[in-house]
Amino acid sequence: MTDPWKATDAGVLRFPSGRLVRGRGLRRPLPDGPVPTFAVHLLGERPPEVPWEERWLRWPDFWLPRSREEARAVFREAWELADAERVEIACAGGRGRTGTALACLAVLDGVPAARAVEFVRENYHPRAVETPWQRRYVRHFTA
């Protein structure tokens, strides 16, 4: 078992269960401190190689994941690993796709889907989940 993130680390969201997941924009440098042990990269094109385990979820900027089934499986894996691992969710800017994925993880963690976007905006970034269709995706996401 690895040391999880600290809730005080930049970009780290604490879910009601106590799980911690770091959201990040890949356009910015890797933050100081521990590196992830598992990452989900939400990008339209293949991300650069990283030295830790990662999953690439095809997800064009401002849109939705190409495969809802794959997204659900990747989100479930990330949520389960976040119980003991350093999990990072990242897109290019760290708000829209990352916020949407974090809101889906919040639903998996027991936050009602109707409140998940608000939860992420209050606890991660006030402009997370950028588009109306991303908000609708979260509202219809089920655990």
Side-chain angles (χ1 to χ4, degrees):
M1 182 164 112
T2 61
D3 296 329
W5 304 112
K6 290 186 248 167
T8 57
D9 289 346
V12 173
L13 173 62
R14 179 183 293 278
F15 292 95
S17 67
R19 285 174 167 85
L20 302 171
V21 175
R22 181 172 74 189
R24 175 167 93 85
L26 293 169
R27 280 190 233 131
R28 291 187 284 286
L30 189 65
D32 291 335
V35 297
T37 54
F38 180 82
V40 177
H41 294 139
L42 313 166
L43 298 168
E45 297 180 3
R46 179 138 250 333
E49 294 289 323
V50 293
W52 47 83
E53 187 177 358
E54 61 92 19
R55 299 288 179 271
W56 170 39
L57 189 58
R58 291 175 196 248
W59 192 333
D61 202 7
F62 297 106
W63 291 99
L64 298 173
R66 290 285 185 217
S67 167
R68 290 175 188 241
E69 295 79 21
E70 183 182 5
R72 180 178 308 287
V74 169
F75 296 159
R76 167 91 37 206
E77 182 179 16
W79 179 80
E80 289 173 359
L81 289 172
D83 191 38
E85 301 284 330
R86 290 187 306 271
V87 174
E88 176 179 86
I89 305 288
C91 66
R95 290 192 204 140
R97 293 169 284 184
T98 296
T100 303
L102 290 171
C104 291
L105 266 62
V107 173
L108 292 173
D109 204 68
V111 175
R115 189 177 169 324
V117 170
E118 178 185 352
F119 173 81
V120 170
R121 286 179 174 172
E122 288 172 357
N123 296 287
Y124 170 67
H125 194 286
R127 290 180 16 218
V129 193
E130 295 174 318
T131 68
W133 40 91
Q134 289 172 341
R135 289 189 297 276
R136 186 170 45 251
Y137 179 81
V138 173
R139 279 195 314 271
H140 295 287
F141 187 84
T142 54

